Amino acid sequence: FSFSGVMEKLGLGPEVLLQENPRLIYARLTGFGQTGKYAKSAGHDINYLALSGVLSKLGRKDEKPYAPLNLLADFAGGGVMCAMGIVTALYERTKSGKGQVIDASMVEGVAYLSSFLWKSQNLGLWSRPRGENLLDSGAPFYDTYQTSDGKFMAVGAIEPQFYEQFIKGLGLDSDKIPSQLNFSDWPEMKKKIASVFAQKTQAEWCSIFDATDACVTPVLSFDEVASHQHNKQRSSFIKNNAGEISPRPAPLLSRTPAVPSIKRDPFIGEHTQEILLENGFTKEEIAKLYSDEVIEFRKPKANL
């Protein structure tokens, strides 16, 4: 969470710093933005998502709205949109020679990210209540289904040619089931498809749908992603020297790809003293900051 006005209290507001360096790009990332009724209020991803209107669209039929972890407002509408603003400002500076202030609001960021929802309202994609539309778990051909071993398959067979392959893979006769876009039959079709998926394991369904265009894939756990054949072939996940797995930086650049470190992530406070010494603090000043609980130290245990 974050508030507006914090940097001004420290005497480090944009007016002060831009006067010192007019080329400076000053990014301000907050939940509610620098102005407005909630500007000085605390909040978290779910609150920003709610105020953007996007949360009202997320959830299954006859259920309350739910937030998909804190991915949408915090990281997508906040971090990524703010980074895009910085890149845009950097590019503009090559022409003007001037910096500027970026007001990145997570509410507005996630709202803008969801422009498709706004622009497609008149297409009939979101004309039904939450959880009854094409992409929000309403359609039987855009959902997840449990397999006989308690795992799940993800289905995204929207286009007719993909849907045809999906139905064929399930072993159903397309002449004996309702039309794909017949809304009234969707609930019954979901039950039928669920009962079919429950008859085989995830691995068995993968052997049926892999190498087809049915748009059916396994729902992989974090423990499984790195060993999946596709991800393995692309080296999509990396392992550090502590054996921890994480995603490889994306997107992949052809000429200057990111070179990820294989070192473990630092502990909070592990390099505090080192960095403060590099920036001119004395050991006495650092000791005082530590005793006043302004900073913290954490050294890794010795590997004996």
Side-chain angles (χ1 to χ4, degrees):
F1 58 91
S2 50
F3 310 90
S4 66
V6 171
M7 297 302 283
E8 279 79 0
K9 288 176 185 174
L10 297 172
L12 298 171
E15 293 81 9
V16 175
L17 297 186
L18 279 164
Q19 199 168 356
E20 184 80 18
N21 178 7
R23 288 175 56 83
L24 182 70
I25 290 159
Y26 193 111
R28 314 198 73 168
L29 176 58
T30 60
F32 297 114
Q34 295 300 311
T35 57
K37 180 180 178 180
Y38 289 170
K40 297 187 185 302
S41 300
H44 279 293
D45 182 286
I46 195 168
N47 306 116
Y48 315 138
L49 204 56
L51 206 64
S52 73
V54 178
L55 186 57
S56 71
K57 298 291 186 184
L58 306 176
R60 289 187 174 274
K61 182 182 177 183
D62 299 327
E63 291 185 16
K64 61 185 181 180
Y66 67 85
L69 308 179
N70 67 326
L71 294 174
L72 274 184
D74 277 355
F75 301 125
V80 175
M81 287 295 190
C82 184
M84 188 182 290
I86 293 168
V87 171
T88 304
L90 283 167
Y91 182 70
E92 192 279 336
R93 190 175 69 180
T94 64
K95 299 183 176 182
S96 68
K98 297 177 182 177
Q100 56 186 308
V101 181
I102 297 163
D103 179 2
S105 152
M106 293 183 192
V107 174
E108 293 163 4
V110 75
Y112 186 56
L113 187 73
S114 72
S115 295
F116 167 71
L117 303 184
W118 294 88
K119 302 293 185 181
S120 62
Q121 284 183 106
N122 297 330
L123 300 179
L125 292 177
W126 309 101
S127 56
R128 301 171 68 81
R130 181 174 59 250
E132 295 183 29
N133 300 281
L134 188 69
L135 303 178
D136 64 0
S137 79
F141 48 86
Y142 202 91
D143 206 348
T144 57
Y145 293 95
Q146 192 165 19
T147 56
S148 63
D149 53 346
K151 296 184 178 185
F152 294 87
M153 297 298 287
V155 178
I158 299 174
E159 292 80 358
Q161 66 274 29
F162 301 156
Y163 182 71
E164 191 178 323
Q165 291 191 47
F166 170 53
I167 293 301
K168 184 180 177 183
L170 291 176
L172 297 174
D173 187 341
S174 56
D175 293 331
K176 295 180 180 177
I177 58 173
S179 170
Q180 180 186 358
L181 297 178
N182 194 342
F183 294 116
S184 58
D185 290 309
W186 279 3
E188 201 54 45
M189 273 303 293
K190 289 189 89 161
K191 288 178 186 175
K192 182 186 280 288
I193 292 169
S195 69
V196 175
F197 268 114
Q199 293 168 22
K200 289 183 172 67
T201 65
Q202 186 189 70
E204 287 172 325
W205 285 118
C206 285
S207 68
I208 289 171
F209 286 114
D210 277 4
T212 74
D213 284 333
C215 302
V216 180
T217 48
V219 177
L220 301 176
S221 69
F222 272 26
D223 294 332
E224 297 168 322
V225 289
S227 57
H228 186 274
Q229 193 177 16
H230 176 81
N231 295 333
K232 212 171 177 180
Q233 288 167 353
R234 287 184 54 82
S235 302
S236 301
F237 294 84
I238 54 178
K239 188 181 286 190
N240 67 15
N241 57 13
E244 299 165 330
I245 292 172
S246 62
R248 183 192 65 195
L252 187 61
L253 277 62
S254 64
R255 187 171 52 80
T256 58
V259 182
S261 170
I262 59 165
K263 292 180 181 178
R264 62 159 175 77
D265 293 342
F267 301 128
I268 293 174
E270 182 177 347
H271 302 114
T272 302
Q273 186 171 3
E274 188 182 324
I275 290 167
L276 290 176
L277 284 169
E278 283 177 8
N279 283 276
F281 285 79
T282 64
K283 286 187 176 179
E284 292 73 24
E285 287 171 329
I286 294 170
K288 179 74 165 64
L289 288 169
Y290 180 69
S291 64
D292 289 346
E293 297 184 348
V294 175
I295 59 174
E296 62 176 288
F297 298 141
R298 183 180 171 190
K299 293 293 179 186
K301 292 178 182 175
N303 294 320
L304 301 176

